[in-house]
Amino acid sequence: MMPATCHNLEFGRTAFADFAACGCSFNSSFDRFPSRNYGRKVIRSVSVNRGFCGGGGGRRLISCRRDGNLARCRVFSTEAPGTLLNGDAIGPPSVLSEKTESTADLFEVVSDDLLTLNKNLQSIVGAENPVLMSAAEQIFSAGGKRMRPALVFLVSRATLELTGLEELTREHRRLAEIIEMIHTASLIHDDVLDESDMRRGQETVHQIYGTRVAVLAGDFMFAQSSWYLANLENLEVIKLISQVIKDFASGEIKQASSLFDCDVKLDEYLIKSYYKTASLIAASTKGAAIFSGVGNDISEQMYQYGKNLGLSFQVVDDILDFTQSAEQLGKPAGSDLAKGNLTAPVIFALEKESKLREIIESEFCETGSLKEAIELVMNSGGIERAQVLAKQKADVAIQCLQCLPQSAFRLALEGMVRFNLDRID
């Protein structure tokens, strides 16, 4: 299958508007971009006369959600500022062009899909055992953003256009559930390994039910997700997701074997970050594309999008471990460093601060040494260099989306990259 041709355009959100305000009353005409109804959501491409809808003219995308007789539409321009001035595209979209307030805004276009997912998750995980059900309720109600299944739905709907599918398949929806189960199982096991008492402001499963139940609950979720995965009967996706579970273990082993090791290289850190974070996100986005029936070229681009988004997310999380307060993090600031887990800011700082090496290799045996180490990381440029790394990975992720048709779903995928970077701005 030939890849879809896409232009490097910068998308700018102009406003929420009543559908009529950007429709016939402004002499707009619908072109050949198909109107598509996903439940209560419609995406249209509209030719808007100059002087209306923000004064720019040109092509705009409308993401519309209907509730009864009310139509709420979000309008997106598909022309960059340079295009509006001289007709020439000015390159790929900037990942820093607009600040996104929350993932809830980004995921609005798949909110119905996420609502269905939430209804299914607890019954899927805990139906066979009351203790597991209780543990599942604890972790699933802990305020998670459902980012990974949301990415499954966004990529699924963004790629439907390429193959002519009208709606998500059963496989798409099951994949999203499997991905969230695997992610949840990994969180439960991570909390046990890290001896963490809190996650997202709530007590962890092992803190409430004990280590034995927590480990068994995580094991059960891994097993349950594997059973559902096998029933999808798609060998490519089975191999893809099975590798993720192996990657989790590899990541934990790599991390455990390099604690307090000041000679750890940036490449080793990125490999570990891929295993622990990016692998599942990459599998989520590629698996969604596979179930849409796209060619290998597109599914590989979706894999690279997920991989680089995941790496960027991990680097940002590692920056926040130094720059946010304990209240914001839901755990003590600098907790990774205290445990000997050396992340990007520390690796960069070690290149300039010999004193930092001495403190880390002593495993913070002296009172106040952890605080001193954090200050050295903050003052050495380690945070700034890590920010550059996060933005580099984000730029690659954005470029991987150029193969997709213009839609509100693609815009949300781009917005996810921007939202991540907004966390460190």
Side-chain angles (χ1 to χ4, degrees):
M1 180 177 181
M2 293 295 291
T5 301
C6 295
H7 301 287
N8 291 332
L9 300 172
E10 178 172 303
F11 297 101
R13 187 175 69 189
T14 57
F16 281 99
D18 186 282
F19 184 74
C22 290
C24 298
S25 62
F26 278 2
N27 295 321
S28 301
S29 61
F30 292 100
D31 64 8
R32 289 177 296 173
F33 189 92
S35 298
R36 194 166 271 208
N37 191 334
Y38 299 112
R40 292 179 294 170
K41 300 180 181 65
V42 181
I43 300 171
R44 293 182 172 90
S45 176
V46 184
S47 298
V48 184
N49 291 342
R50 288 188 181 276
F52 299 98
C53 294
R59 186 74 56 205
R60 298 184 186 271
L61 292 178
I62 299 175
S63 171
C64 183
R65 179 184 177 93
R66 292 188 177 274
D67 294 297
N69 294 322
L70 176 65
R72 295 183 290 137
C73 303
R74 189 173 295 193
V75 184
F76 304 87
S77 170
T78 63
E79 289 189 304
T83 306
L84 298 178
L85 292 173
N86 54 35
D88 296 322
I90 60 172
S94 169
V95 297
L96 299 175
S97 60
E98 180 184 341
K99 192 172 182 67
T100 303
E101 293 185 0
S102 70
T103 53
D105 292 336
L106 292 171
F107 299 161
E108 169 65 19
V109 289
V110 291
S111 59
D112 290 343
D113 297 324
L114 289 171
L115 184 62
T116 300
L117 174 105
N118 288 337
K119 290 178 180 177
N120 291 341
L121 274 175
Q122 291 181 9
S123 60
I124 288 174
V125 171
E128 297 181 22
N129 189 300
V131 175
L132 290 172
M133 184 64 171
S134 182
E137 287 176 347
Q138 171 67 12
I139 192 72
F140 286 139
S141 65
K145 297 180 179 66
R146 302 284 188 266
M147 183 186 81
R148 290 153 189 81
L151 288 173
V152 170
F153 293 134
L154 288 171
V155 171
S156 298
R157 292 199 178 280
T159 51
L160 290 180
E161 177 71 21
L162 296 172
T163 55
L165 290 176
E166 291 296 328
E167 186 50 89
L168 297 187
T169 65
R170 178 188 68 87
E171 288 77 14
H172 282 128
R173 296 189 183 281
R174 183 62 80 196
L175 175 65
E177 294 162 0
I178 289 168
I179 292 297
E180 186 65 1
M181 279 193 285
I182 291 174
H183 175 58
T184 300
S186 72
L187 294 183
I188 294 173
H189 281 179
D190 281 352
D191 288 338
V192 172
L193 291 171
D194 297 339
E195 299 180 344
S196 300
D197 296 334
M198 302 292 291
R199 176 174 290 278
R200 299 169 185 153
Q202 295 191 26
E203 287 186 297
T204 54
V205 172
H206 78 88
Q207 182 71 8
I208 297 173
Y209 302 100
T211 298
R212 181 182 178 84
V213 170
V215 170
L216 291 173
D219 288 348
F220 180 83
M221 281 193 225
F222 276 130
Q224 188 82 322
S225 62
S226 297
W227 186 85
Y228 281 114
L229 179 63
N231 279 275
L232 289 177
E233 298 182 348
N234 183 300
L235 186 58
E236 185 176 7
V237 174
I238 290 172
K239 289 181 177 179
L240 184 68
I241 306 300
S242 297
Q243 181 65 43
V244 170
I245 300 176
K246 176 185 174 183
D247 288 343
F248 281 155
S250 297
E252 290 294 344
I253 292 169
K254 276 187 171 294
Q255 181 167 298
S257 63
S258 61
L259 295 179
F260 300 102
D261 180 5
C262 292
D263 293 317
V264 65
K265 304 300 183 186
L266 184 64
D267 285 347
E268 296 174 280
Y269 160 79
L270 289 173
I271 291 172
K272 182 201 71 175
S273 298
Y274 171 77
Y275 285 155
K276 287 176 63 67
T277 301
S279 176
L280 181 59
I281 297 176
S284 303
T285 50
K286 182 175 182 178
I290 290 171
F291 283 132
S292 290
V294 301
N296 291 336
D297 48 355
I298 303 296
S299 64
E300 179 59 26
Q301 288 296 302
M302 294 304 95
Y303 176 84
Q304 292 298 327
Y305 165 80
K307 173 185 174 181
N308 285 281
L309 174 62
L311 290 174
S312 184
F313 252 92
Q314 186 59 60
V315 175
V316 169
D317 276 347
D318 293 337
I319 292 170
L320 294 177
D321 192 49
F322 289 95
T323 61
Q324 284 193 335
S325 66
E327 290 74 21
Q328 290 172 307
L329 290 169
K331 60 180 181 179
S335 59
D336 282 334
L337 179 57
K339 296 170 184 175
N341 179 24
L342 308 191
T343 57
V346 180
I347 293 170
F348 287 129
L350 280 167
E351 295 177 10
K352 292 187 176 182
E353 294 287 351
S354 58
K355 177 65 173 176
L356 180 61
R357 174 183 284 267
E358 294 175 14
I359 296 173
I360 293 173
E361 289 181 344
S362 74
E363 299 188 13
F364 311 110
C365 60
E366 295 184 10
T367 302
S369 58
L370 176 60
K371 181 180 179 181
E372 183 181 0
I374 292 173
E375 290 175 352
L376 287 171
V377 172
M378 297 291 290
N379 297 328
S380 67
I383 298 296
E384 290 76 13
R385 290 182 65 185
Q387 288 173 332
V388 171
L389 176 62
K391 291 171 183 176
Q392 288 173 344
K393 297 301 179 184
D395 285 338
V396 175
I398 285 285
Q399 289 301 312
C400 292
L401 296 174
Q402 302 306 303
C403 64
L404 296 178
Q406 297 164 4
S407 70
F409 307 115
R410 172 176 154 176
L411 287 170
L413 291 167
E414 292 172 350
M416 199 60 226
V417 180
R418 290 194 298 271
F419 170 78
N420 177 51
L421 293 182
D422 287 343
R423 297 191 295 153
I424 53 174
D425 276 355

